[in-house]
Amino acid sequence: MAAKTHRTAAPPAVLSTRALNRATLDRQLLLRRSPMSAKDAVTHLVGLQAQNTKPPYFQLYARLTDFDPGELSALMKSREAVRTVSLRSTLHTHTADDALTLVPLVRAPRDRELKGFRRGLEGVDLDRLAAVTEEFVEERPRPLGELREELLTHWPDADPLALSVAARCLLPLVQVTPRGLWGRSGQVALTTVEHWLGRSAEPAPTSSLDATVLRYLGAFGPASVMDFQAWAGLTRTKEVFERLRPGLLTFRDERGVELFDLPDAPRPDPETPAPPRFLPEFDNVLLGHADRTRVIPEVNKGRNGKGNQTYGSVLVDGFLDALWRVDREGGTAILTVQTLRKPTRAQRTEMTEEAARMMTVMTDATDHDVRFGTFLDFGD
């Protein structure tokens, strides 16, 4: 009788860094611009990094066909989108729905941030602080200074900064408009998400985290467990991926790390052309993975800023290879590109053309000038 043979599963396919780059760019709408609406794009991307007020607009310009900044601004004004602390305990622009469901789901990094201020909160009842804050900011949106002064009347011996951080960490607060509107300015004024939107957040079931992982893979995949955790600011999510494993594909990167992906998600040919894209500081495509080499070459790690100053990033052939900033001289907006590696003549021409198009839409200057030069010294 012949001996039985046992089939072994084929090892997962290995995806090169370039293959990961093209897959991520495609899902980030950076391989080709998308005709989707601003609201649909904010939903698809699971929010836009909004540490400053202008970057969300530049993120959408880089991704959408015929983007008009007024479209996102209108969403903010109508309260269909809000600026609130969420992923990694940093400010993001989210749709109203995500502000009510996703933000409570990613509270853990806010809790960790709060622990770092515990010395300044000795003797402070955090439950009461949350209640005092909620009542105060729901009476009317409050500037941060007013909120801090109100909290000091209750806890005069506490550290003022720690009190305001605690309020931000304990409650889902939004920065109300006109802050964040295109072409407008305004100081930070805060109220609760639920009060601003006029509806309550529902407790997030376990399935919400599963759905968030799937949405993440749809916008940032293929990705590892650690990639997801770095993006969300969460820990201990391996069991979520294991629960989802039967419905996912698995790969390995060139370092042997296991990657998960949606079966029907695009994974373009690694040689697919990638046009230059001008990204603002803190674009999530630069921050959405634990291993960022799929977008940031090792040689350029940490080179999109220096100290506390961060500049715009230029993707050349899909990878971070230049920086940019805009200065004004009278009515002229001057965009300076600092390359990190000598571009080809064709790449230089493409960057110039893309920069000029962006300046026409994204500045109110009457004249524009694109220059190549150096504004950041790395000392090497």
Side-chain angles (χ1 to χ4, degrees), residues 66-83:
D66 300 323
F67 173 66
D68 179 352
E71 186 181 357
L72 177 59
S73 196
L75 293 175
M76 301 284 293
K77 193 172 183 179
S78 64
R79 308 189 189 187
E80 295 177 78
V82 297
R83 298 178 75 234

mmCIF file of all heavy atoms in Angstrom, residues 66-83:
data_model
loop_
_atom_site.group_PDB
_atom_site.id
_atom_site.type_symbol
_atom_site.label_atom_id
_atom_site.label_comp_id
_atom_site.label_asym_id
_atom_site.label_seq_id
_atom_site.Cartn_x
_atom_site.Cartn_y
_atom_site.Cartn_z
ATOM 1 N N ASP A 66 -9.723 67.601 -9.956
ATOM 2 C CA ASP A 66 -10.413 68.897 -9.914
ATOM 3 C C ASP A 66 -10.855 69.278 -8.501
ATOM 4 O O ASP A 66 -11.967 69.783 -8.286
ATOM 5 C CB ASP A 66 -11.635 68.891 -10.851
ATOM 6 C CG ASP A 66 -11.253 68.626 -12.300
ATOM 7 O OD1 ASP A 66 -10.192 69.117 -12.733
ATOM 8 O OD2 ASP A 66 -12.006 67.913 -12.993
ATOM 9 N N PHE A 67 -9.996 69.025 -7.514
ATOM 10 C CA PHE A 67 -10.365 69.338 -6.132
ATOM 11 C C PHE A 67 -10.483 70.842 -5.924
ATOM 12 O O PHE A 67 -9.632 71.626 -6.346
ATOM 13 C CB PHE A 67 -9.326 68.774 -5.163
ATOM 14 C CG PHE A 67 -9.539 69.201 -3.738
ATOM 15 C CD1 PHE A 67 -10.658 68.779 -3.037
ATOM 16 C CD2 PHE A 67 -8.632 70.043 -3.104
ATOM 17 C CE1 PHE A 67 -10.875 69.183 -1.724
ATOM 18 C CE2 PHE A 67 -8.833 70.446 -1.792
ATOM 19 C CZ PHE A 67 -9.949 70.018 -1.102
ATOM 20 N N ASP A 68 -11.546 71.238 -5.254
ATOM 21 C CA ASP A 68 -11.778 72.625 -4.865
ATOM 22 C C ASP A 68 -11.738 72.677 -3.337
ATOM 23 O O ASP A 68 -12.533 72.003 -2.676
ATOM 24 C CB ASP A 68 -13.148 73.090 -5.375
ATOM 25 C CG ASP A 68 -13.458 74.532 -4.982
ATOM 26 O OD1 ASP A 68 -12.696 75.127 -4.191
ATOM 27 O OD2 ASP A 68 -14.475 75.057 -5.458
ATOM 28 N N PRO A 69 -10.818 73.456 -2.753
ATOM 29 C CA PRO A 69 -10.747 73.523 -1.286
ATOM 30 C C PRO A 69 -12.074 73.876 -0.634
ATOM 31 O O PRO A 69 -12.346 73.479 0.498
ATOM 32 C CB PRO A 69 -9.694 74.610 -1.043
ATOM 33 C CG PRO A 69 -8.866 74.630 -2.268
ATOM 34 C CD PRO A 69 -9.793 74.295 -3.395
ATOM 35 N N GLY A 70 -12.909 74.602 -1.358
ATOM 36 C CA GLY A 70 -14.201 74.969 -0.796
ATOM 37 C C GLY A 70 -15.081 73.778 -0.483
ATOM 38 O O GLY A 70 -15.977 73.857 0.360
ATOM 39 N N GLU A 71 -14.816 72.630 -1.148
ATOM 40 C CA GLU A 71 -15.645 71.454 -0.903
ATOM 41 C C GLU A 71 -15.418 70.909 0.500
ATOM 42 O O GLU A 71 -16.373 70.604 1.228
ATOM 43 C CB GLU A 71 -15.339 70.372 -1.946
ATOM 44 C CG GLU A 71 -16.261 69.170 -1.856
ATOM 45 C CD GLU A 71 -15.944 68.080 -2.869
ATOM 46 O OE1 GLU A 71 -15.027 68.279 -3.696
ATOM 47 O OE2 GLU A 71 -16.609 67.028 -2.814
ATOM 48 N N LEU A 72 -14.151 70.789 0.903
ATOM 49 C CA LEU A 72 -13.875 70.327 2.264
ATOM 50 C C LEU A 72 -14.297 71.377 3.271
ATOM 51 O O LEU A 72 -14.837 71.055 4.335
ATOM 52 C CB LEU A 72 -12.387 70.004 2.424
ATOM 53 C CG LEU A 72 -11.940 69.582 3.830
ATOM 54 C CD1 LEU A 72 -12.699 68.344 4.300
ATOM 55 C CD2 LEU A 72 -10.438 69.325 3.859
ATOM 56 N N SER A 73 -14.074 72.643 2.945
ATOM 57 C CA SER A 73 -14.461 73.707 3.854
ATOM 58 C C SER A 73 -15.971 73.692 4.104
ATOM 59 O O SER A 73 -16.436 73.892 5.229
ATOM 60 C CB SER A 73 -14.035 75.061 3.266
ATOM 61 O OG SER A 73 -14.061 76.073 4.249
ATOM 62 N N ALA A 74 -16.737 73.401 3.055
ATOM 63 C CA ALA A 74 -18.196 73.323 3.209
ATOM 64 C C ALA A 74 -18.596 72.173 4.124
ATOM 65 O O ALA A 74 -19.551 72.283 4.904
ATOM 66 C CB ALA A 74 -18.859 73.168 1.843
ATOM 67 N N LEU A 75 -17.874 71.065 4.048
ATOM 68 C CA LEU A 75 -18.151 69.931 4.944
ATOM 69 C C LEU A 75 -17.894 70.322 6.397
ATOM 70 O O LEU A 75 -18.637 69.925 7.301
ATOM 71 C CB LEU A 75 -17.281 68.738 4.564
ATOM 72 C CG LEU A 75 -17.554 68.067 3.223
ATOM 73 C CD1 LEU A 75 -16.509 66.979 2.955
ATOM 74 C CD2 LEU A 75 -18.958 67.466 3.179
ATOM 75 N N MET A 76 -16.832 71.086 6.615
ATOM 76 C CA MET A 76 -16.532 71.541 7.963
ATOM 77 C C MET A 76 -17.607 72.497 8.467
ATOM 78 O O MET A 76 -18.082 72.400 9.606
ATOM 79 C CB MET A 76 -15.170 72.247 7.974
ATOM 80 C CG MET A 76 -13.996 71.401 7.523
ATOM 81 S SD MET A 76 -13.472 70.237 8.783
ATOM 82 C CE MET A 76 -12.848 71.358 10.022
ATOM 83 N N LYS A 77 -18.025 73.412 7.595
ATOM 84 C CA LYS A 77 -19.001 74.422 7.984
ATOM 85 C C LYS A 77 -20.357 73.799 8.288
ATOM 86 O O LYS A 77 -21.071 74.226 9.201
ATOM 87 C CB LYS A 77 -19.127 75.463 6.868
ATOM 88 C CG LYS A 77 -19.871 76.725 7.271
ATOM 89 C CD LYS A 77 -19.778 77.781 6.187
ATOM 90 C CE LYS A 77 -20.464 79.071 6.621
ATOM 91 N NZ LYS A 77 -20.358 80.120 5.570
ATOM 92 N N SER A 78 -20.735 72.771 7.519
ATOM 93 C CA SER A 78 -22.033 72.120 7.715
ATOM 94 C C SER A 78 -21.973 71.025 8.784
ATOM 95 O O SER A 78 -22.953 70.333 9.024
ATOM 96 C CB SER A 78 -22.516 71.515 6.401
ATOM 97 O OG SER A 78 -21.647 70.477 5.968
ATOM 98 N N ARG A 79 -20.795 70.835 9.386
ATOM 99 C CA ARG A 79 -20.566 69.850 10.446
ATOM 100 C C ARG A 79 -20.668 68.411 9.941
ATOM 101 O O ARG A 79 -20.947 67.495 10.711
ATOM 102 C CB ARG A 79 -21.510 70.092 11.633
ATOM 103 C CG ARG A 79 -21.465 71.513 12.134
ATOM 104 C CD ARG A 79 -22.221 71.737 13.428
ATOM 105 N NE ARG A 79 -22.298 73.163 13.721
ATOM 106 C CZ ARG A 79 -22.773 73.692 14.851
ATOM 107 N NH1 ARG A 79 -23.230 72.886 15.809
ATOM 108 N NH2 ARG A 79 -22.801 75.001 15.024
ATOM 109 N N GLU A 80 -20.441 68.219 8.657
ATOM 110 C CA GLU A 80 -20.318 66.868 8.113
ATOM 111 C C GLU A 80 -18.907 66.334 8.288
ATOM 112 O O GLU A 80 -18.658 65.145 8.090
ATOM 113 C CB GLU A 80 -20.708 66.858 6.640
ATOM 114 C CG GLU A 80 -22.151 67.185 6.366
ATOM 115 C CD GLU A 80 -22.447 67.231 4.883
ATOM 116 O OE1 GLU A 80 -22.576 66.156 4.275
ATOM 117 O OE2 GLU A 80 -22.537 68.356 4.335
ATOM 118 N N ALA A 81 -17.974 67.210 8.636
ATOM 119 C CA ALA A 81 -16.600 66.824 8.950
ATOM 120 C C ALA A 81 -16.133 67.701 10.106
ATOM 121 O O ALA A 81 -16.568 68.852 10.239
ATOM 122 C CB ALA A 81 -15.682 66.997 7.741
ATOM 123 N N VAL A 82 -15.263 67.159 10.948
ATOM 124 C CA VAL A 82 -14.793 67.889 12.133
ATOM 125 C C VAL A 82 -13.313 67.615 12.357
ATOM 126 O O VAL A 82 -12.767 66.624 11.877
ATOM 127 C CB VAL A 82 -15.575 67.476 13.405
ATOM 128 C CG1 VAL A 82 -17.044 67.834 13.285
ATOM 129 C CG2 VAL A 82 -15.413 65.980 13.684
ATOM 130 N N ARG A 83 -12.684 68.510 13.122
ATOM 131 C CA ARG A 83 -11.295 68.327 13.544
ATOM 132 C C ARG A 83 -11.315 67.898 15.006
ATOM 133 O O ARG A 83 -11.835 68.609 15.863
ATOM 134 C CB ARG A 83 -10.489 69.612 13.388
ATOM 135 C CG ARG A 83 -10.397 70.104 11.960
ATOM 136 C CD ARG A 83 -9.616 71.412 11.850
ATOM 137 N NE ARG A 83 -8.189 71.185 12.010
ATOM 138 C CZ ARG A 83 -7.434 71.813 12.895
ATOM 139 N NH1 ARG A 83 -7.967 72.671 13.739
ATOM 140 N NH2 ARG A 83 -6.130 71.569 12.960
#
